[in-house]
């Protein structure tokens, strides 16, 4: 069996999941690494704005790292 990760826009998520399930695809829930800012803020007990900034900083850092390799 093969594992494939697909990022789906929130507005299309329900439709895409419905189609994939119809094709027999097993859909797993998001991992802790893919939390939304509000979920992340709740998990580590900080404000939503601080969580958004932290996730943005992490994303920017990764982008810089990927450019350098």
């Amino acid at each position: 069996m093969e594992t494939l990760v697909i990022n789906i826009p929130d507005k299309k998520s329900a439709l895409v999941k419905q189609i994939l399930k119809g094709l027999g695809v097993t859909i797993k829930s998001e991992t802790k690494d893919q939390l939304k800012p509000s979920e992340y803020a709740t998990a580590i007990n900080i404000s939503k704005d601080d969580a958004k900034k932290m996730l943005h900083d992490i994303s920017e850092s990764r982008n810089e790292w990927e450019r350098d390799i």
Side-chain angles (χ1 to χ4, degrees):
M1 182 170 291
E2 188 173 347
T3 300
L4 175 65
V5 176
I6 304 172
N7 292 321
I8 304 167
D10 290 337
K11 293 181 181 178
K12 304 287 184 179
S13 180
L15 176 61
V16 172
K17 285 180 182 178
Q18 182 181 8
I19 292 168
L20 292 174
K21 284 181 182 179
L23 295 171
V25 173
T26 301
I27 299 174
K28 293 184 179 181
S29 63
E30 293 179 326
T31 66
K32 293 291 182 194
D33 294 339
Q34 299 170 331
L35 292 176
K36 295 176 183 172
S38 59
E39 295 168 332
Y40 187 71
T42 301
I44 63 171
N45 197 26
I46 62 173
S47 75
K48 185 176 176 182
D49 289 337
D50 287 344
K52 281 183 181 180
K53 182 176 180 345
M54 186 179 291
L55 292 173
H56 178 269
D57 292 347
I58 291 168
S59 178
E60 285 297 312
S61 177
R62 179 172 178 103
N63 290 339
E64 289 175 12
W65 176 79
E66 288 176 342
R67 280 192 300 263
D68 292 342
I69 58 172

